[in-house]
Amino acid sequence: GDSVTQMEGPVTLSEEAFLTINCTYTATGYPSLFWYVQYPGEGLQLLLKATKADDKGSNKGFEATYRKETTSFHLEKGSVQVSDSAVYFCALTNQGTGRRALTFGSGTRLQVQP
Amino acid sequence: DTAVSQTPKYLVTQMGNDKSIKCEQNLGHDTMYWYKQDSKKFLKIMFSYNNKELIINETVPNRFSPKSPDKAHLNLHINSLELGDSAVYFCASSSGASGPYEQYFGPGTRLTVT
């Protein structure tokens, strides 16, 4: 079945540092890839998405590129802020198999210190 | 205007009780989902309905019974609650018979079984 692997956290950075959170996936067919963010005590918010190979998703300074050759969708931000502290989830759905439900990675907690 | 709403936000109950969680979406979506987030933040699909029809039923104890009275509502009833049912339950919705199945989440219901 489909699966998503994320780097273990927590990731602790100082404000204005560069962020990378690694995500790789295993899926048959044509997965769509997502990053969701969960702020403390809140639900999940869609951060960005990419639906086909070489697509770049971007939002709020975050970016991720769908790399089919390496089956990866790494999340990056050039300069993090304290307000970015949250748990980040990489996830996929799979049009190829018709699977609509999200398959999530285990989440990566980001802590940004002032 | 809350897109996906859940009630209650918190639910504390004793083992053996029966409880329900309600979800409503005003996005006009045709597919709704229940996800369970455990204490380690891991998210897993439980059920999904498309146009009131059950399309995903993962390996979940039959004490859990979803019900979709219409496309905008999906409820979750849990019988004979157990300690292991303590978790955060998220409702989500998405649109379209095809496409990336981008999902929008409710704020979650934190269930604590004592």
Side-chain angles (χ1 to χ4, degrees):
Chain A
D2 299 343
S3 66
V4 177
T5 303
Q6 285 181 242
M7 60 189 288
E8 294 251 349
V11 173
T12 303
L13 296 173
S14 298
E15 211 165 18
E16 299 183 3
F18 186 86
L19 168 70
T20 300
I21 300 178
N22 290 337
C23 171
T24 57
Y25 67 90
T26 301
T28 56
Y30 308 99
S32 292
L33 303 174
F34 305 87
W35 278 100
Y36 280 84
V37 58
Q38 185 176 29
Y39 297 102
E42 297 186 12
L44 285 87
Q45 299 176 25
L46 177 64
L47 182 59
L48 53 84
K49 67 179 181 184
T51 59
K52 61 183 187 298
D54 300 325
D55 268 2
K56 178 186 279 189
S58 61
N59 186 27
K60 299 182 182 178
F62 291 90
E63 292 183 341
T65 301
Y66 188 143
R67 301 284 188 204
K68 195 170 173 69
E69 64 277 12
T70 54
T71 62
S72 65
F73 193 53
H74 305 321
L75 182 68
E76 296 182 334
K77 186 176 186 183
S79 175
V80 294
Q81 306 299 313
V82 172
S83 57
D84 294 326
S85 298
V87 180
Y88 292 81
F89 293 92
C90 186
L92 66 83
T93 59
N94 198 330
Q95 291 103 291
T97 61
R99 182 167 174 86
R100 304 178 185 217
L102 285 158
T103 298
F104 284 95
S106 55
T108 303
R109 183 178 300 276
L110 170 65
Q111 297 172 336
V112 180
Q113 297 175 336
Chain B
D1 274 0
T2 304
V4 183
S5 59
Q6 293 179 231
T7 53
K9 191 167 172 63
Y10 300 97
L11 187 52
V12 180
T13 188
Q14 292 184 325
M15 283 175 55
N17 285 347
D18 303 339
K19 290 294 178 186
S20 292
I21 306 170
K22 296 188 175 185
C23 177
E24 177 180 1
Q25 55 94 4
N26 62 8
L27 297 168
H29 289 168
D30 58 5
T31 306
M32 297 183 72
Y33 311 79
W34 280 112
Y35 291 88
K36 179 180 180 180
Q37 185 175 46
D38 64 23
S39 59
K40 295 185 178 179
K41 297 287 190 183
F42 190 72
L43 282 148
K44 190 168 166 56
I45 184 68
M46 300 175 69
F47 301 104
S48 178
Y49 273 76
N50 174 252
N51 287 320
K52 302 196 298 174
E53 179 185 346
L54 182 66
I55 58 170
I56 295 176
N57 185 354
E58 296 289 292
T59 308
V60 175
N62 58 17
R63 298 182 294 103
F64 290 78
S65 52
K67 206 163 274 190
S68 181
D70 57 56
K71 286 198 307 184
H73 295 86
L74 179 62
N75 304 324
L76 183 64
H77 188 75
I78 315 170
N79 289 325
S80 304
L81 278 154
E82 300 178 357
L83 291 176
D85 297 333
S86 295
V88 181
Y89 294 84
F90 287 102
C91 178
S93 70
S94 71
S95 177
S98 61
Y101 309 135
E102 175 180 326
Q103 292 173 34
Y104 295 86
F105 283 78
T109 296
R110 182 176 294 277
L111 172 64
T112 303
V113 183
T114 61

